[in-house]
Amino acid sequence: MSETKMKQLFKQVFGDTVYNYYQKARMEEAAFLLKKAGYSVSETGYQLGFSNLSHFGRLFERHYGMTPKKFTLAG
């Protein structure tokens, strides 16, 4: 199966691109690590494979509408 065909089938089945699906899963895991596991923002970013914490923060904010730090402090 070609890469293009696989990407088309993935989007058809899951309703999103492989990249977006993966990033959404990473952000959900980040939220869990920040809230439930008590990880710091930097620990969470590195745990999820981000070498650039600014990039992690931007993606997290885009997904949740607030920075990881604010998310941690919110109720």
Side-chain angles (χ1 to χ4, degrees):
M1 178 184 297
S2 72
E3 182 180 342
T4 302
K5 183 65 173 172
M6 190 277 304
K7 287 178 180 179
Q8 288 172 345
L9 288 173
F10 188 94
K11 187 165 185 170
Q12 186 179 14
V13 171
F14 294 101
D16 210 348
T17 65
V18 174
Y19 178 78
N20 288 341
Y21 186 89
Y22 174 64
Q23 290 297 19
K24 182 180 176 192
R26 283 173 97 186
M27 293 302 104
E28 289 172 359
E29 180 67 11
F32 172 80
L33 292 174
L34 290 167
K35 282 282 191 178
K36 306 291 185 203
Y39 281 41
S40 70
V41 174
S42 60
E43 289 172 326
T44 300
Y46 291 131
Q47 182 74 21
L48 294 172
F50 288 93
S51 57
N52 182 328
L53 293 178
S54 294
H55 181 62
F56 166 65
R58 284 191 306 275
L59 283 176
F60 190 93
E61 188 170 6
R62 189 177 310 145
H63 188 80
Y64 285 104
M66 64 179 78
T67 65
K69 186 67 173 176
K70 285 183 181 177
F71 182 85
T72 303
L73 299 173

